[in-house]
Amino acid sequence: VISGAEDTVVEVAGLLEAGGVKTKRLRVSHAFHSPLMEPMLAEFRRVAEGLSYASPRMPVVSNVTGRVADAEALCSAEYWVRHVREAVRFADGVRSLADAEVTTFLELGPDGVLSGMGQECVSDAAFASVLRAGRGEIPSLREALAEIYVRGRQVDWSALLAPARPRRVELPTYAFQRERFWLEPVRTDTAPALTRVADRWRYRVSWSPVSDVVGAALTGTWLVAVPAGPAGEEWVADCVAALAGRGALPVVVELGQDDADRAVMADRLRGALEAAEVSDAAGVVSLLASAEGRHGEYGSVPLGLALTLSLLQAIGDVGVGGRVWCVTRGAVAVGGSESPLSVEQAAVWGLGRVAGLEAPERWGGLVDLPEVWDARVADRLVGVVSGRADETEAAVRASGVFGRRVARAIEGAHGVEG
């Protein structure tokens, strides 16, 4: 996190983006831990000097130094003045704990933000958060305690469960069933024979050009789900404009971290339709795959994937009749000269294939767009979501539209196009 004067921060962000690093502007009231805090330090010091301090009863790792803090320093006003002004050495502090053989981190805070960041600092430790946004406090606390318990930490379950008056019961025992499951060895001449048979069972993904679908038109109201925030604003706006310019009446709903819940998502969609004074939509286009960030316990799921799942569920709950089309950008590679640009967006393709099997009545398909946007890409996108291409998994490229196919693998080939 870079904090400071806006012009300087924008300049640094520009240098990072020029080097291929994505940046995101944070919505904060003050540039804490930067020179902009200096005008208030004197007054802050006077307040801090009027407080009473007590030595900590357990070691504290300071985010000012990134090391175990001196108890005397923590009891001084000067330390807290430094804390306001100087950089937060969060990564150094987590690594100091890891160096001290700390393997379990319990976050006591309003959400799991620090747990998610901590996992980026050390990969072989467990992080658990006692509170999570949008979830009940008691279930979240119990999950956190269970997580650290299975990691070998002691939890006083008797004290935790005392109000329920639990009692201990013996678990039943089971007799061993001595059934052998190991494969028996085969003769050498049989094993090459089996390999040849197995080779004929191998398939791979290929992409075949389909008839161009330019000139298609849309009608009626289309619900367009877009990620909140600045991520991909330009191409998201291009997609919405493409739908509007070819006959659709887009109802745009911005969705973010707090909407990755089925019930919340359903409320947001109902509200968007009511605001547009319509009760249904002819189709749904989701651009949520490009949402930046992580979701779930310990930030384990890409936010775009979590939002897409909630959208697919909520569409059924709300009763929208139109089919859902999920749009990605650079999630698949059509030919050998391409390589997927976004692994996280590629996960939406896996989810989409499952959605097509489990909810075929409301599934439209998957469309992958190229990096470069032009009028032909806009025409082809509309052609695919209109259904004229008759494809449920399509990639739009400058050279045309390609449909995903499963083909028998050539004997001796080991690569699989994605």
Side-chain angles (χ1 to χ4, degrees), residues 88-141:
V88 178
R89 300 191 174 277
F90 176 78
D92 293 338
V94 173
R95 293 192 188 101
S96 291
L97 290 168
D99 292 340
E101 300 183 349
V102 173
T103 58
T104 304
F105 294 78
L106 185 66
E107 179 176 354
L108 307 179
D111 205 344
V113 176
L114 299 183
S115 294
M117 293 193 300
Q119 288 180 314
E120 298 292 330
C121 303
V122 290
S123 58
D124 55 351
F127 289 82
S129 175
V130 299
L131 294 177
R132 300 306 303 268
R135 302 182 62 177
E137 294 181 359
I138 294 177
S140 295
L141 174 61

Side-chain angles (χ1 to χ4, degrees), residues 54-65:
S55 297
R57 288 177 289 179
M58 64 178 65
V60 175
V61 172
S62 167
N63 275 344
V64 176
T65 64

Side-chain angles (χ1 to χ4, degrees), residues 6 29 70 84 87 131 191 219 228 259 267 285 292 298 306 312 326 343 352 390:
E6 182 177 11
S29 59
D70 176 72
V84 173
L131 294 177
T219 58
D259 303 307
D267 289 341
V285 173
E292 295 181 350
Y298 322 119
L312 292 171
C326 292
V343 175
D390 197 24

Side-chain angles (χ1 to χ4, degrees), residues 363-380:
W363 178 244
L366 295 153
V367 189
D368 189 65
L369 301 182
E371 278 292 293
V372 179
W373 178 275
D374 57 28
R376 291 177 301 174
V377 171
D379 279 337
R380 288 163 179 158

Side-chain angles (χ1 to χ4, degrees), residues 218-255:
L218 302 174
T219 58
T221 299
W222 281 68
L223 193 61
V224 185
V226 304
E233 282 184 344
E234 184 175 350
W235 84 274
V236 167
D238 288 336
C239 290
V240 175
L243 300 175
R246 289 157 180 82
L249 299 174
V251 174
V252 179
V253 54
E254 288 193 2
L255 301 164

Side-chain angles (χ1 to χ4, degrees), residues 188-236:
T188 304
D189 56 343
T190 306
L194 290 176
T195 300
R196 286 193 297 270
V197 173
D199 277 343
R200 293 198 295 269
W201 297 341
R202 294 174 56 246
Y203 290 83
R204 67 181 180 87
V205 172
S206 66
W207 293 88
S208 299
V210 299
S211 300
D212 218 338
V213 288
V214 296
L218 302 174
T219 58
T221 299
W222 281 68
L223 193 61
V224 185
V226 304
E233 282 184 344
E234 184 175 350
W235 84 274
V236 167

Side-chain angles (χ1 to χ4, degrees), residues 4 12 26 36 44 53 63 71 81 84 109 161 181 186 216 237 265 268-269 273 281 307 333 351 396-397:
V12 174
L26 299 180
L36 296 184
F44 182 83
Y53 300 91
N63 275 344
V81 173
V84 173
L161 302 175
F181 291 96
V186 297
M265 178 72 72
R268 292 295 311 278
L269 298 183
L273 292 173
L307 287 172
L351 172 64
V396 174
R397 296 294 184 264

Side-chain angles (χ1 to χ4, degrees), residues 1-35:
V1 178
I2 301 173
S3 178
E6 182 177 11
D7 292 344
T8 305
V9 172
V10 170
E11 181 181 357
V12 174
L15 294 173
L16 291 172
E17 291 174 348
V21 179
K22 290 184 178 181
T23 65
K24 180 179 181 180
R25 191 172 192 142
L26 299 180
R27 298 174 181 175
V28 295
S29 59
H30 295 78
F32 293 103
H33 310 287
S34 80

